[in-house]
Amino acid sequence: MNDLVRQHTALTESDLEWLHLLVSEWQLLSDLSFADLVLWVPTRDGTRYVSVAQMRPNTGPTSYQDDMVGHLVPRGRRPLLDAALDEGRIVREGDPEWREEVPVRVESIPVRRDGRVLGVIARNTNLLTVRTPSRLELTYLQSASDLAQMIAAGAFPYPGQQVEMDASPRVGDGLIRLDADGLVQYASPNALSAYHRLGLASDLVGHHLGQVTAELAPSRGPVDEALVKLASGYAPRETEVEGNSGVIQLRAIPLKPKGTRIGSLVLLRDVTELRRRERELITKDATIREIHHRVKNNLQTVAALLRLQARRMDSVGGREALQEAVRRVGSIAIVHETLSQNLDERVEFDEIADRVIAMVAEISPGKVECRRTGRFGVLDAEVATPLSMVLTEVLQNALEHAFPAGERGSVEVSAVRGERRLDESAARLLITVQDDGCGLPEGFDARRTGNLGLQIVRTLVEGELGGSFDMLPVPGPESGTRVVLDIPVRALP
C-alpha cells in the first residue's frame, strides 16, 4: 500500500498512516457486512482511482475471485465511487451488479480524516446465498452500518488504538451488542459459551455486562470499576478476564455513528487453552534455564577443584595439565551460563568467543594481544558447546607454542558467516585463528601429529560438528600459523 499511495496519489504521510490504521481494523467491517472491501484512492491528477487494499470476509462468500490491489479505474466508470468521493456520504443507490453470474450489491463508503475525504471503500456483497437473516446476522449488519457511518464521519478507526489482527478477537470468536447504558442487547452463541466458561449460569441479554464481568472475575477487594467501564464499552480498550479456570479476551468498541455513543460492540475470545499452554511453556523454559544454571555451577565447582589440585601439584607438567583442564571446563561453563539467560536453545556466540579469548589470554597476560574480528552470529547450543571447546584449544595451543620464552605477538580470531551452498542444506561458518609467532616445525602434519588439544579439536570439528580443520603456515615472508575451521551451521538470524 505504501508504494501505491506514494506513486499514484497526493496523500501525505499522516494520511497514509490513517489508511494503515483503517486497514488494520477493517476485517471487522468486512465480517460484520458479509462483504468484500476494496479501498480506492483518487490519483494525483484526479482522473482515476487506484485500489490500494482489499479484504475478504470470513463470514460469507467473496465477490472477487481475483486480487484487486493495484488496479486503476478511470473516474466516471463507477458512479458510486464518484458520488461518495464528491458528496462525502455513503452511497447505496443502484441495482446489483452481475459478476460471473453472481449478483453483487455495491456500496461506497467515504473515508474521512480531519474533514477531508481521502478515498472510498467499495463494499461488495455476494447476494447468491441471500436468505431470511437470523438475529445474529441482523445484529452484524446493524453494527456494520454503524461502523460505516463512523468511517464516513472520520470517527473510526480510533487513533492510537491499532490492534494486531491475529491477536485481537474477531467477529466469529464471539460478539456482544450493548446499548448506551451497557445492557446486553444481543450475545452470540460463542460469546455466551465463553461467559459460561467463566462461571455464568444464566443468559446475558438484559444484564449489565460490566457488572456481570466484574462479578465473575475474582477480586479480593471492591468491584473493579475499571473492568466495569471497559466491559460496558465506554472506551476502546482490550483486556483479559480470568475466572473459574477460564480466560476470555475482551475488546470494546464504542459505536458513535452520529457523534453520540448509542452503544458498543464487545468482541471476545475464549483463550483458556492458549494461556494454559503458554504457562506450561513458561514453566518448561524456566526449568531448562535452571538446569543450565545448575550445570554451569557444577562445572565451575569442578574447575575450582581442579584449580585447587593444581596448586598442590609439585610436578610442573601435572600442574599445566590441570590448568588446561580448568580452561576446558570453563569454556563449557560459559556456554551454559549464556543458555541459562536465554529463552531458547540458541546463543549469541560473539559474547562467548570474547569471554573464551579473555580466559585463555590469561596464560600470557600483557605479552600477547588477542582480538576478534567478524561475527559468529547466533548458533544452536549443540554447535556452541563443542565450538567453545575448539576455540579454547586452538587459542591455548597458539599462546603456548607460537611464542616461546615469553615473546610478544598477536593472535587474531576472525569469523565469517557464509551463504548456503547449492549442494548443501546448511550455511557455512568459516573461522580463522592466525598468530604471528614462530610458525610450525619442519614436517608438521596437523592430521597425524599434535598434542591432546589438537586431537580434541579434530574429534570435535570433524566428528561432532561435521566440519573440516586445517593448520597451515602463514603464506608469505612473515612467520606464523593459521588454523582454519569450516563448520556447517543452521541459518539463524
Side-chain angles (χ1 to χ4, degrees), residues 47 101 142 286 385 455 477:
T47 61
E101 300 182 356
Q142 180 58 53
T385 301
Q455 294 176 17

Side-chain angles (χ1 to χ4, degrees), residues 325-395:
V326 167
R327 285 187 285 272
R328 288 165 184 155
V329 173
S331 65
I332 302 175
I334 291 173
V335 177
H336 282 282
E337 181 180 5
T338 305
L339 289 170
S340 69
Q341 300 169 359
N342 292 345
L343 294 177
D344 53 23
E345 291 292 293
R346 300 173 182 176
V347 294
E348 180 64 54
F349 196 80
D350 294 321
E351 178 185 351
I352 294 175
D354 291 340
R355 294 180 63 181
V356 167
I357 292 172
M359 178 182 67
V360 178
E362 294 177 357
I363 298 175
S364 55
K367 297 180 181 179
V368 179
E369 178 190 0
C370 297
R371 61 181 180 273
R372 173 181 63 86
T373 61
R375 183 172 181 270
F376 287 86
V378 179
L379 299 178
D380 287 322
E382 58 263 26
V383 174
T385 301
L387 182 57
S388 66
M389 283 198 65
V390 167
L391 191 58
T392 300
E393 296 298 333
V394 172
L395 287 170

Side-chain angles (χ1 to χ4, degrees), residues 39 46 84 257 422:
L39 177 57
L422 294 177

Side-chain angles (χ1 to χ4, degrees), residues 433-437 439-440 472-483:
V433 180
Q434 181 169 316
D435 64 67
D436 56 1
L440 296 173
L472 307 167
V474 174
E478 298 181 359
S479 62
T481 304
R482 175 182 295 172
V483 176

Side-chain angles (χ1 to χ4, degrees), residues 297-325:
N297 288 343
N298 291 337
L299 289 173
Q300 288 180 339
T301 301
V302 172
L305 292 174
L306 292 174
R307 193 179 295 111
L308 182 62
Q309 184 65 42
R311 291 172 184 170
R312 296 176 176 270
M313 290 286 293
D314 296 328
S315 169
V316 175
R319 187 183 307 114
E320 290 179 352
L322 288 177
Q323 289 173 348
E324 289 182 2

Side-chain angles (χ1 to χ4, degrees), residues 70-376:
H71 284 215
L72 291 166
V73 174
R75 183 178 172 88
R77 179 174 296 179
R78 300 193 177 185
L80 297 186
L81 293 181
D82 298 337
L85 183 68
D86 297 338
E87 301 174 20
R89 65 180 179 88
I90 299 176
V91 181
R92 296 190 176 94
E93 298 88 352
D95 297 326
E97 298 180 1
W98 287 83
R99 300 175 186 166
E100 299 180 358
E101 300 182 356
V102 176
V104 177
R105 182 175 64 242
V106 181
E107 304 167 272
S108 296
I109 304 168
V111 178
R112 192 183 304 273
R113 175 181 179 267
D114 294 338
R116 298 181 298 114
V117 178
L118 307 181
V120 179
I121 294 176
R123 182 164 57 176
N124 304 271
T125 307
N126 188 325
L127 301 178
L128 194 62
T129 59
V130 169
R131 64 184 188 280
T132 303
S134 64
R135 177 73 186 281
L136 179 143
E137 292 169 331
L138 290 174
T139 303
Y140 278 17
L141 293 172
Q142 180 58 53
S143 302
S145 177
D146 294 335
L147 285 177
Q149 293 182 54
M150 292 171 65
I151 293 173
F156 188 83
Y158 291 101
Q161 292 295 321
Q162 185 169 357
V163 299
E164 297 182 13
M165 294 177 62
D166 294 335
S168 185
R170 298 193 178 190
V171 171
D173 296 326
L175 178 141
I176 298 175
R177 173 85 185 217
L178 307 178
D179 64 12
D181 296 324
L183 299 179
V184 178
Q185 294 180 314
Y186 175 78
S188 71
N190 284 346
L192 192 58
S193 296
Y195 266 82
H196 286 165
R197 187 76 176 264
L198 288 182
L200 180 69
S202 62
D203 196 1
L204 277 172
V205 176
H207 291 81
H208 192 279
L209 185 64
Q211 295 177 357
V212 170
T213 304
E215 291 172 359
L216 293 174
S219 176
R220 297 181 180 178
V223 174
D224 189 345
E225 293 296 335
L227 180 58
V228 172
K229 289 187 177 181
L230 188 149
S232 300
Y234 288 104
R237 294 287 187 272
E238 283 195 38
T239 191
E240 285 190 4
V241 179
E242 183 172 357
N244 193 36
S245 301
V247 184
I248 62 173
Q249 183 181 9
L250 292 178
R251 183 190 177 198
I253 304 171
L255 297 176
K256 304 176 181 179
K258 297 181 180 179
T260 303
R261 192 175 68 87
I262 63 169
S264 305
L265 280 181
V266 177
L267 303 181
L268 57 111
R269 174 189 296 167
D270 186 346
V271 293
T272 304
E273 290 302 314
L274 178 62
R275 296 296 175 260
R276 182 185 62 81
R277 292 176 183 176
E278 287 178 352
R279 288 167 183 159
E280 289 180 352
L281 289 175
I282 291 173
T283 302
K284 290 180 181 177
D285 288 340
T287 303
I288 292 172
R289 289 199 300 272
E290 178 62 21
I291 290 173
H292 284 301
H293 180 71
R294 294 189 180 188
V295 170
K296 182 262 297 184
N297 288 343
N298 291 337
L299 289 173
Q300 288 180 339
T301 301
V302 172
L305 292 174
L306 292 174
R307 193 179 295 111
L308 182 62
Q309 184 65 42
R311 291 172 184 170
R312 296 176 176 270
M313 290 286 293
D314 296 328
S315 169
V316 175
R319 187 183 307 114
E320 290 179 352
L322 288 177
Q323 289 173 348
E324 289 182 2
V326 167
R327 285 187 285 272
R328 288 165 184 155
V329 173
S331 65
I332 302 175
I334 291 173
V335 177
H336 282 282
E337 181 180 5
T338 305
L339 289 170
S340 69
Q341 300 169 359
N342 292 345
L343 294 177
D344 53 23
E345 291 292 293
R346 300 173 182 176
V347 294
E348 180 64 54
F349 196 80
D350 294 321
E351 178 185 351
I352 294 175
D354 291 340
R355 294 180 63 181
V356 167
I357 292 172
M359 178 182 67
V360 178
E362 294 177 357
I363 298 175
S364 55
K367 297 180 181 179
V368 179
E369 178 190 0
C370 297
R371 61 181 180 273
R372 173 181 63 86
T373 61
R375 183 172 181 270
F376 287 86

